[in-house]
């Protein structure tokens, strides 16, 4: 794969290479594929076409861009429950599953004392979760799950849009110490991600099904390490 160093497609090409290597153990199979690749290009395009998307057609320019600094004494272990208790007194609607326990396995939590760039990015059409994740990855955003959404509301509520749902994604799974960990909020086997909306000056904390398209007009929350 040396010919593809620093190419934006390199991660995908490496995955393709690993897949081919795993299913074609006979060197002659690899050689045959290499020699006759032009014959398979049409079939490959057909296979890939359902997954091909244009991010420019799916996502607009950020409607909000700002910076936050996580306080040095900020505690991620109870940040969600603590903030929910405060907002409940102000009349916020809170899904009981939006809590620290359900988001305890978040793949990344805002780090105390660290500064982050934040963007709130609108969808221009109905978008699958896998596409949202691919887009955020292409921007090199860190996925901060429920903790990130709460941090933005607690530290920069005035920058949070009104009447628009904002969703904070996380990766579904990863390996931690050689064990596979599910990072999403789980309810009866289904996967959910954090969602919040300000309606008539009141917060509504809910969940968005990972298996359901994010609707047109909703927004993605993106964190960027400084």
């Amino acid at each position: 794969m040396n010919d593809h160093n620093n190419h934006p497609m390199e991660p995908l090409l490496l995955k393709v290479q690993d897949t081919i290597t795993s299913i074609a153990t006979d060197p002659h199979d690899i050689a045959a594929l290499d020699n006759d690749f032009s014959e398979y290009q049409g079939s490959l395009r057909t296979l890939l076409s359902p997954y091909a998307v244009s991010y420019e057609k799916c996502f607009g320019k950020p409607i909000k861009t700002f910076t936050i600094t996580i306080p040095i004494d900020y505690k991620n272990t109870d940040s969600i429950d603590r903030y929910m208790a405060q907002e409940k007194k102000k009349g916020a609607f809170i899904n009981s599953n939006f809590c620290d326990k359900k988001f305890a396995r978040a793949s990344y939590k805002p780090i105390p004392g660290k500064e982050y760039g934040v963007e709130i990015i609108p969808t221009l059409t109905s978008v699958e979760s896998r596409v949202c994740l691919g887009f955020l990855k292409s921007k090199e955003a860190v996925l901060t799950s429920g903790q990130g959404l709460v941090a933005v509301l607690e530290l920069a509520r005035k920058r949070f849009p009104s009447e628009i749902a904002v969703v904070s994604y996380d990766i579904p799974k990863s390996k931690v110490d050689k064990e596979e960990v599910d990072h999403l909020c789980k309810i009866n086997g289904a996967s959910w991600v954090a969602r919040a909306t300000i309606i008539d000056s009141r917060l509504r904390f809910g969940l968005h099904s990972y298996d359901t398209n994010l609707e047109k007009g909703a927004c993605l929350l993106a964190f960027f390490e400084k």
Side-chain angles (χ1 to χ4, degrees), residues 27-206:
H28 295 293
D29 292 337
I30 301 281
L33 180 61
D34 183 50
N35 292 333
D36 301 324
F37 184 74
S38 60
E39 296 183 18
Y40 299 112
Q41 283 183 312
S43 298
L44 184 60
R45 288 195 184 96
T46 300
L47 288 170
L48 294 176
S49 60
Y51 304 96
V53 294
S54 169
Y55 291 147
E56 291 78 11
K57 294 181 180 179
C58 294
F59 306 99
K61 294 181 179 180
I63 60 172
K64 299 284 184 177
T65 302
F66 52 94
T67 299
I68 63 171
T69 300
I70 307 299
I72 195 68
D73 59 348
Y74 196 79
K75 295 181 179 179
N76 275 312
T77 53
D78 67 349
S79 61
I80 296 177
D81 292 350
R82 176 174 45 78
Y83 188 67
M84 294 301 169
Q86 296 174 10
E87 290 302 314
K88 189 174 183 179
K89 296 177 182 178
K90 301 175 185 178
F93 170 83
I94 302 170
N95 184 309
S96 60
N97 287 299
F98 197 132
C99 59
D100 285 300
K101 182 179 179 179
K102 291 294 185 180
F103 290 101
R105 293 192 172 187
S107 64
Y108 184 101
K109 299 175 184 178
I111 300 172
K114 193 172 181 64
E115 184 180 44
Y116 294 93
V118 178
E119 291 183 1
I120 297 178
I121 306 165
T123 57
L124 303 178
T125 185
S126 174
V127 189
E128 294 180 57
S129 290
R130 68 170 184 86
V131 176
C132 293
L133 287 178
F135 172 68
L136 291 168
K137 184 177 180 179
S138 74
K139 290 176 65 67
E140 299 184 345
V142 289
L143 306 177
T144 55
S145 197
Q147 286 85 351
L149 189 55
V150 165
V152 166
L153 284 164
E154 188 170 10
L155 301 174
R157 179 164 175 167
K158 291 182 179 180
R159 308 302 299 271
F160 203 85
S162 296
E163 314 296 327
I164 298 174
V166 178
V167 174
S168 184
Y169 274 94
D170 200 348
I171 55 174
K173 294 180 180 180
S174 71
K175 286 189 176 181
V176 178
D177 295 330
K178 298 183 180 180
E179 291 187 10
E180 191 171 70
V181 176
D182 195 324
H183 298 294
L184 302 181
C185 169
K186 285 289 189 179
I187 303 173
N188 297 325
S191 299
W192 303 80
V193 293
R195 178 183 179 116
T197 314
I198 296 178
I199 299 178
D200 295 330
S201 299
R202 290 188 178 184
L203 275 165
R204 296 178 64 89
F205 292 97

Side-chain angles (χ1 to χ4, degrees), residues 17-25:
Q17 181 188 48
D18 291 341
T19 301
I20 292 174
T21 302
S22 66
I23 63 176
T25 55

